Amino acid sequence: MKSNSSGFPITPQGNKSGRVVVDPVSRIEGHLRIEVELKDGKIANAWSSSTLFRGLEIILKGRKPEDAQHFTQRSCGVCTYVHGLASTRAAEDACKVTIPENATLIRNLVMGCQYMHDHLVHFYHLCGLDWIDVAGALQADPKKAAALANSISPRKTKAEDLKAVQATLKKFIDSGQLGPFTNAYFLNGHEGYYLSPELNLIGTAHYLEALKIQLLPARAMAIFGGKNPHPQFMQVGGVTCYKSLEKEKIKQFRDLLMQTKNFIDQVYIPDLIAIAGQYKDWTQYGGCQNFLTFGEFPTKGQELDTRYFPAGIVMGRKFGEVKDFDPGKIAEHVRYSWYKGDKALHPYQGETDPKYTDMFGEDRYSWMKAPRYEDKAMETGPLAQVLVAYAKGHPKVKPLVDHVINTLGIKVENLYSTLGRIAARGIETAVVAEHCVDMLDQLEGNLAAGKNQIIEDIEMVDKAEGVGFVNAPRGGLSHWLKVGDKKIDNFQLVVPSTWNLGPRCANDLLSPVEEALVGTPVADASRPVEILRTVHSFDPCIACGVHVIDGDTNQVHKFKIR
């Protein structure tokens, strides 16, 4: 692989011009269609289209605000808890109630597990195959691979274990039944993949191991939540998981937490740095201009200014000038969405009135709305959170960011990229895992001191407004509630994927993913892995859905319903 004067690999680029469509984008949650315009092998324009209508805002009207969480958790098959938390915080904001300290800690601990689960699955199972050539692992020398693994991680790796993985992989590929690797772009070679065979083997081994590890934080969530997904422990005013205050339950939670944390520290972070070291050219592509985060892990109720991860705004990549977040500056546009009207409305005045037009037009082209802050498209998610925390000198985030960029030999500015987005997710995971240990110690200390309260009695107000801000693993999530006669008069969900993956706004500004795709080189237009790398780096989460694939031909069937 050739390198440029900075030592970065030179990204392969084809010479094709014309439209390329990826539909559906797989290894995400929900239905997403990406269309790009290629000019001489480079993306010149892009359109992001969500092809599934949710309509939860309509379903919720007239219901009790306290019950909203049970409906909004069903907006997704992965982010169930974060939607429940946003709805509950919105109702608590309307009632102006402050929940007990233990309730805040328990909610935070479940949120921490959600982060660890989501980010591990994202790195290894959702975006890993965009960078790791699983078939290429067969060319590796297990002894060299073990030596490499032992040089980057304190966890001992044996050559015979990697050889066993290689044997299993060979049997799997020779069978022709490739399961999740069917139609993978790396099969039969692809010049966009340039990890060494040994790193391909290490990554494949850890891909398989992470399938089991991701269960651990999910089980921990169920200890406090009663079940997972769709936990049952939250109420407006606090939590009701009294059984989980027992020493044995907390011990079980701690054991699962520490097993997960060890994998993050000794496997995930070393893998991230090692793989990024061979793809440093991807610090040149996939960047956005503006960033927004609500912050997360409050120490008191849901107040924004008490959160462990700080809230903030970065405009024009000037992360040295972090601005305070102002909820009044959010508006949702529908000019290019399949909804009636053209007005941009603040979420409290938001309308959800669907009007489908044409799937293949260039006017309205998505079920997503287009949220804007000060009329600007904003990237939200781990990169936004890490940039704001780094700029504010966060004591855990700053040294870890410095370690990653110094090890890779890159600059902070290189984080404005596809690779930076993936690195930020790993940094966030490691910091969250450490913070969870501290919060669990704090909870145990409270219980030992006889502080057992976990819920406040509340009475729903007759008329009010309330908003619940959650920095979900995928980014800024907010639920906006208007109460009238103790019932839901209006409810709007502004979710991370509408921020990151929505369409253009009334001012014709591209969404963050559309902006990030422009300028990206594509080596092979028939196998555009470069599109997937940047789209997957946002970890799209659109909604639950089913893809219909013919078991004999492996072709996706298309249906047009009129």
Side-chain angles (χ1 to χ4, degrees), residues 9 50 56 69 73 237 301 324 420 520 541:
S50 172
L56 279 163
Q69 62 148 320
Q73 285 196 45
D324 292 338
T520 302
C541 187

Side-chain angles (χ1 to χ4, degrees), residues 274-459:
I275 293 172
Q278 293 200 25
Y279 282 114
K280 287 194 288 187
D281 48 328
W282 277 86
T283 61
Q284 312 296 307
Y285 310 111
C288 294
Q289 291 293 316
N290 308 312
F291 301 86
L292 171 152
T293 179
F294 300 145
E296 194 45 74
F297 303 108
T299 57
K300 182 181 180 183
Q302 64 157 310
E303 295 177 26
L304 288 172
D305 58 359
T306 72
R307 298 187 175 195
Y308 179 72
F309 281 146
I313 302 291
V314 173
M315 289 290 192
R317 298 189 176 186
K318 297 177 181 175
F319 79 93
E321 302 174 12
V322 176
K323 298 180 180 180
D324 292 338
F325 165 61
D326 180 354
K329 295 181 178 178
I330 294 176
E332 285 197 293
H333 292 240
V334 293
R335 170 62 187 83
Y336 286 94
S337 306
W338 287 315
Y339 296 98
K340 293 180 181 176
D342 291 324
K343 291 181 180 177
L345 299 172
H346 185 272
Y348 276 139
Q349 284 75 48
E351 299 173 355
T352 301
D353 199 351
K355 185 182 179 182
Y356 177 76
T357 53
D358 187 349
M359 177 72 184
F360 304 105
E362 288 192 6
D363 188 27
R364 296 177 187 261
Y365 61 94
S366 178
W367 281 116
M368 283 190 180
K369 298 179 182 178
R372 295 291 185 265
Y373 184 88
E374 290 185 335
D375 280 336
K376 297 288 192 299
M378 310 293 291
E379 177 178 342
T380 185
L383 180 55
Q385 185 61 78
V386 165
L387 288 173
V388 168
Y390 185 86
K392 292 193 171 188
H394 191 285
K396 298 297 182 182
V397 172
K398 190 172 186 311
L400 191 50
V401 170
D402 288 337
H403 168 68
V404 170
I405 61 178
N406 290 335
T407 304
L408 291 175
I410 62 175
K411 300 176 181 177
V412 173
E413 291 75 12
N414 292 127
L415 295 176
Y416 298 119
S417 62
T418 296
L419 199 64
R421 196 171 292 116
I422 294 171
R425 187 168 272 106
I427 290 166
E428 188 178 64
T429 312
V431 175
V432 166
E434 186 172 348
H435 188 49
C436 279
V437 176
D438 293 339
M439 290 190 293
L440 193 59
D441 290 344
Q442 192 178 344
L443 176 63
E444 280 195 307
N446 286 350
L447 297 175
K451 292 172 61 175
N452 297 317
Q453 187 184 6
I454 56 175
I455 192 164
E456 291 276 1
D457 290 332
I458 65 104
E459 181 175 349

Side-chain angles (χ1 to χ4, degrees), residues 36-214:
V36 304
E37 180 81 36
L38 283 181
K39 185 175 181 181
D40 299 328
K42 187 173 284 190
I43 296 175
N45 210 341
W47 295 265
S48 170
S49 174
S50 172
T51 58
L52 188 69
F53 176 61
R54 293 178 297 128
L56 279 163
E57 293 90 343
I58 300 169
I59 295 170
L60 284 166
K61 282 191 175 181
R63 300 182 185 276
K64 294 172 64 175
E66 303 95 309
D67 291 343
Q69 62 148 320
H70 300 299
F71 292 86
T72 58
Q73 285 196 45
R74 270 66 187 177
S75 60
C76 176
V78 179
C79 306
T80 62
Y81 171 61
V82 296
H83 279 287
L85 182 59
S87 293
T88 305
R89 284 176 173 175
E92 288 165 350
D93 185 44
C95 297
K96 304 305 175 193
V97 61
T98 299
I99 66 174
E101 179 186 357
N102 286 343
T104 300
L105 285 169
I106 290 170
R107 289 183 183 182
N108 284 349
L109 285 163
V110 175
M111 175 61 92
C113 291
Q114 175 91 50
Y115 268 85
M116 289 182 274
H117 176 267
D118 272 23
H119 289 354
L120 282 172
V121 169
H122 176 265
F123 182 74
Y124 286 103
H125 307 130
L126 301 185
C127 87
L129 300 184
D130 298 338
W131 310 91
I132 299 168
D133 179 350
V134 172
L138 294 178
Q139 310 305 318
D141 180 333
K143 288 184 179 178
K144 289 182 178 177
L148 177 60
N150 290 324
S151 71
I152 61 177
S153 168
R155 197 180 74 159
K156 184 68 176 175
T157 297
K158 298 178 181 177
E160 52 262 41
D161 292 339
L162 292 177
K163 193 173 183 179
V165 170
Q166 217 172 22
T168 301
L169 183 62
K170 186 174 188 312
K171 187 176 180 182
F172 184 60
I173 291 176
D174 288 347
S175 74
Q177 299 296 316
L178 296 176
F181 308 135
T182 300
N183 294 332
Y185 290 161
F186 53 74
L187 295 173
N188 304 314
H190 189 299
E191 59 181 323
Y193 287 83
Y194 32 90
L195 277 190
S196 67
E198 284 68 35
L199 268 178
N200 279 324
L201 178 56
I202 293 169
T204 302
H206 294 161
Y207 172 103
L208 297 172
E209 184 179 358
L211 288 170
K212 297 178 181 177
I213 295 295
Q214 57 93 20

Side-chain angles (χ1 to χ4, degrees), residues 191-268:
E191 59 181 323
Y193 287 83
Y194 32 90
L195 277 190
S196 67
E198 284 68 35
L199 268 178
N200 279 324
L201 178 56
I202 293 169
T204 302
H206 294 161
Y207 172 103
L208 297 172
E209 184 179 358
L211 288 170
K212 297 178 181 177
I213 295 295
Q214 57 93 20
L215 294 172
L216 304 179
R219 286 175 183 164
M221 292 178 72
I223 290 175
F224 286 154
K227 61 191 283 289
N228 186 51
H230 308 116
Q232 300 290 316
F233 72 125
M234 271 191 305
Q235 283 196 15
V236 177
V239 295
T240 56
C241 47
Y242 290 99
K243 189 79 173 175
S244 302
L245 303 182
E246 298 174 357
K247 289 184 179 179
E248 179 58 27
K249 292 293 183 184
I250 291 180
K251 181 180 182 304
Q252 290 175 9
F253 188 98
R254 187 182 291 278
D255 288 346
L256 293 167
L257 168 62
M258 294 312 297
Q259 290 179 63
T260 309
K261 184 177 183 304
N262 288 340
F263 184 84
I264 291 167
D265 293 340
Q266 298 181 10
V267 181
Y268 178 10

